[in-house]
Amino acid sequence: MVTPSRIALARRRRGMTLAELSEAAGVSLQSLSNYETGRTTPRPGTLARLAATLDFPSAFFSSPDIDELPAEGISWRARSKTPPRVLEAARAAGGLAVQLHEWIEDRFRLPAPDVPTLSKPDPETAAEMVRRRWGLGSAPAPNMIHLLEAHGVRVFSLAPDYAEVDAFAVWQGPVPFVFLNTSKTGERSRFDAAHELGHLVMHGHDRQCTGPAAEKQANDFASAFLMPASSVLGHMPRSPHVDQILQAKTIWKVSAMALTYRLHDLGLLSDWQYRSACAELSKRGYRPAEPVGIRHETSQVLAKVFQGLRTTGVRPHHVAAQLAITVDELNKMLFGLTITAVEGGQSGPASTRGQHLNRV
């Protein structure tokens, strides 16, 4: 039995329109429409052509419906002119990650969600409240992915196909999810993680999580969360020059531009000094990139899961087969950890200390 919604999800995951899939697979447009709506079922030969074109195992299309992410509840951190098909492709990839999460949750006890929803406080206050709740005080934030995972946020990587999408977050029932683009610099990825945490905290399940106002709130939350006012004021002089900014950004592991914005926000840089610092940083290459940046942060939970699976003889290709996806599709969700953490027999780049997962 073919599951119609899976044909549509696989097509959207590849960023294809019905017309494009029709031409690539040699299937009529009307037939494809009927397959996706369930009016008719593709014959085995036709299904095989669709599977090959979409790069999914044939078994994928006969598995149960996937609980897809709600389109209206996603906070997109993406370029303003990002094509809808790219957003839909990223949402489809998120749906596959949720399927993986459910598979993992059936086998491991994951940290319970501990993300408050605070609709009334301003971003600065909300960031301070979350920091107090999580016992961070005014110290620089640790590894952001580890921190989110320790408080029950399920974090997955976005496939590199979607360079226009930096990150997105969504509540799926009581469980918060964050998806991060791994092609960004390590500093910008940390900011993206804090930005999406801001959406989860301030916009929750029922508030507008898109648009300029929501984006500014999430940006201000991220800035305050990563660079607490008391910490910045305690470390930085008034009117710091660019070399001092570049040296200090390593304290909070943020981009030079993000720290410059925070210094201006806290009154340590005047408007003129802020513009001058931004111009100088841009001239030195710090606007599009982060020369001599930090290493990318990766998932601790996923590394531990695949290490635990390895001890029982379960390899990534076994997991992929049970989910009816390719190993390449699986690896794109996992910050590339399946090779380093499992096949190489080592823990890979992610630290695995401080968090213990039990088998169910």
Side-chain angles (χ1 to χ4, degrees):
M1 177 70 77
V2 174
T3 306
S5 64
R6 282 186 171 249
I7 298 176
L9 185 142
R11 175 179 60 76
R12 288 190 286 105
R13 169 65 185 88
R14 300 300 175 226
M16 301 178 77
T17 64
L18 277 168
E20 289 168 342
L21 179 56
S22 171
E23 182 176 354
V27 179
S28 75
L29 189 60
Q30 184 60 56
S31 294
L32 278 178
S33 178
N34 289 338
Y35 299 156
E36 291 194 2
T37 56
R39 284 194 290 268
T40 59
T41 300
R43 293 181 178 179
T46 303
L47 184 62
R49 290 207 307 279
L50 291 174
T53 303
L54 294 169
D55 193 24
F56 276 90
S58 293
F60 176 83
F61 301 98
S62 58
S63 299
D65 284 309
I66 288 178
D67 191 12
E68 293 194 55
L69 299 175
E72 67 281 357
I74 293 178
S75 63
W76 295 107
R77 185 160 172 76
R79 299 169 191 168
S80 58
K81 295 183 180 179
T82 299
R85 72 160 72 185
V86 173
L87 300 181
E88 278 299 294
R91 185 168 75 92
L96 296 177
V98 170
Q99 178 188 223
L100 170 61
H101 160 257
E102 292 170 349
W103 187 94
I104 292 172
E105 198 169 45
D106 285 343
R107 293 158 179 81
F108 293 87
R109 290 190 181 91
L110 302 177
D114 177 29
V115 179
T117 51
L118 308 170
S119 60
K120 293 184 179 180
D122 61 84
E124 188 90 22
T125 302
E128 291 174 358
M129 292 173 71
V130 176
R131 277 183 149 270
R132 282 199 301 271
R133 180 181 179 122
W134 289 359
L136 297 178
S138 60
N143 183 307
M144 278 301 299
I145 296 179
H146 294 187
L147 181 65
L148 292 178
E149 290 179 328
H151 293 278
V153 181
R154 312 316 188 210
V155 187
F156 294 92
S157 58
L158 275 172
D161 321 23
Y162 318 121
E164 302 98 322
V165 180
D166 293 334
F168 69 91
V170 65
W171 285 91
Q172 180 79 327
V175 181
F177 285 84
V178 165
F179 301 87
L180 299 173
N181 188 320
T182 58
S183 66
K184 304 282 289 294
T185 65
E187 291 87 350
R188 283 169 169 75
S189 184
R190 276 173 58 83
F191 196 92
D192 286 346
H195 176 101
E196 297 308 325
L197 173 62
H199 277 301
L200 293 172
V201 169
M202 293 186 296
H203 304 135
H205 301 266
D206 54 1
R207 293 191 68 197
Q208 178 67 31
C209 59
T210 59
E215 284 299 292
K216 185 179 187 309
Q217 288 176 339
N219 274 335
D220 289 347
F221 177 97
S223 185
F225 190 87
L226 291 173
M227 298 166 279
S230 59
S231 180
V232 175
L233 293 171
H235 282 88
M236 298 300 293
R238 183 171 294 277
S239 304
H241 53 71
V242 166
D243 287 334
Q244 287 176 303
I245 293 172
L246 292 177
Q247 184 177 11
K249 78 186 187 72
T250 60
I251 298 172
W252 299 282
K253 297 181 180 179
V254 295
S255 71
M257 287 293 189
L259 178 55
T260 302
Y261 177 90
R262 184 63 167 156
L263 292 170
H264 178 243
D265 189 46
L266 293 174
L268 295 179
L269 288 175
S270 67
D271 291 349
W272 180 85
Q273 290 169 331
Y274 172 68
R275 290 193 297 271
S276 298
C278 287
E280 178 63 23
L281 287 170
S282 182
K283 188 186 304 181
R284 297 192 192 188
Y286 282 90
R287 184 174 293 278
E290 206 66 28
V292 196
I294 64 173
R295 293 179 64 180
H296 279 89
E297 297 176 347
T298 57
S299 169
Q300 179 172 236
V301 164
L302 295 173
K304 282 184 170 291
V305 163
F306 279 88
Q307 288 166 2
L309 292 171
R310 185 174 186 274
T311 63
T312 61
V314 177
R315 298 292 193 272
H317 68 273
H318 297 130
V319 179
Q322 291 192 41
L323 297 174
I325 59 177
T326 64
V327 173
D328 180 61
E329 189 74 50
L330 174 68
N331 200 41
K332 287 176 179 177
M333 307 176 199
L334 308 178
F335 300 92
L337 286 171
T338 56
I339 301 301
T340 56
V342 181
E343 301 298 1
Q346 302 295 324
S347 61
S351 167
T352 56
R353 295 178 302 207
Q355 193 168 7
H356 181 68
L357 297 182
N358 295 317
R359 296 295 292 263
V360 173

